[in-house]
């Protein structure tokens, strides 16, 4: 096919519409938010650690601003994770992302990413007595069976 009759190439990662964040940027932002929350870091504290403002972290977390590769590297180091963490799970939503179907909002997504779950896990590990922790797990299991 000659060059003037070739269909235009779609740039990977390009937003589907003006002002709309790309679903991949949203996914990376959600992973950033999840990890920051797991570590109990505020946006301000993380921003200070890598020389940004907390507003910039907010924009990354919502996908409004894209994270450059060098900044992603800085974030991974500050959050003590591998860079690949940010893309984990995207394989499942990649077809949707390419088709511009929005990814599931964080509050409706994986329960392990919800603030309540993270707070529960933190509280659990603050319990020093192993026997008490086991009893708590058994209590949660028995309550989970009730309906």
């Amino acid at each position: 096919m000659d060059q003037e009759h070739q269909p235009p190439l779609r740039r990977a990662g390009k937003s589907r519409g003006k002002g709309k964040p790309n679903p991949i940027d949203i996914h990376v932002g959600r992973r950033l938010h999840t990890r920051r929350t797991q570590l109990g870091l505020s946006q301000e504290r993380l921003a200070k650690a890598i020389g940004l403002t907390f507003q910039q972290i907010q924009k990354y977390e919502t996908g409004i601003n894209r994270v450059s590769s060098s900044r992603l590297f800085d974030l991974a180091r500050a959050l003590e994770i591998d860079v690949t963490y940010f893309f984990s799970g995207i394989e499942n939503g990649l077809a949707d992302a390419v088709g511009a179907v929005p990814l599931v909002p964080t509050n409706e997504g994986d329960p392990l990413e919800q603030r309540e779950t993270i707070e529960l896990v933190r509280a659990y590990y603050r319990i020093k007595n192993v026997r008490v922790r086991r009893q708590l797990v058994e209590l949660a299991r028995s309550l989970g069976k009730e309906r």
Side-chain angles (χ1 to χ4, degrees):
M1 189 183 281
D2 67 12
Q3 213 168 3
E4 79 181 309
H5 290 91
Q6 288 182 355
L9 296 175
R10 189 179 115 118
R11 202 173 122 212
K14 190 173 180 184
S15 179
R16 296 281 299 171
K18 190 169 181 140
K20 286 183 167 182
N22 182 285
I24 295 171
D25 297 328
I26 292 170
H27 178 83
V28 169
R30 286 189 181 141
R31 298 290 290 166
L32 170 60
H33 176 266
T34 298
R35 181 62 179 164
R36 179 182 60 76
T37 306
Q38 286 173 343
L39 295 176
L41 293 174
S42 66
Q43 290 175 335
E44 189 173 298
R45 192 161 156 211
L46 176 58
K48 187 174 183 177
I50 61 171
L52 294 177
T53 64
F54 79 91
Q55 292 93 337
Q56 189 63 40
I57 299 296
Q58 283 178 332
K59 290 177 183 179
Y60 287 157
E61 288 185 356
T62 58
I64 291 172
N65 283 6
R66 289 185 178 168
V67 184
S68 70
S69 55
S70 59
R71 185 68 69 205
L72 206 57
F73 183 80
D74 292 342
L75 286 164
R77 287 182 65 200
L79 296 171
E80 300 173 351
I81 52 172
D82 192 86
V83 173
T84 58
Y85 168 86
F86 295 108
F87 300 98
S88 176
I90 205 163
E91 304 82 21
N92 302 331
L94 190 55
D96 292 340
V98 172
V101 176
L103 297 172
V104 178
T106 304
N107 62 353
E108 295 177 17
D110 184 356
L112 296 176
E113 294 183 7
Q114 293 180 5
R115 179 178 299 275
E116 180 180 46
T117 306
I118 294 166
E119 289 173 2
L120 182 62
V121 170
R122 279 194 198 127
Y124 173 82
Y125 282 107
R126 281 194 298 266
I127 299 170
K128 301 295 181 207
N129 188 318
V130 176
R131 205 166 114 216
V132 171
R133 284 202 316 246
R134 282 192 209 128
Q135 291 172 338
L136 182 59
V137 169
E138 289 306 315
L139 174 64
R141 283 186 183 137
S142 66
L143 291 173
K145 292 178 186 176
E146 289 183 13
R147 287 267 167 166

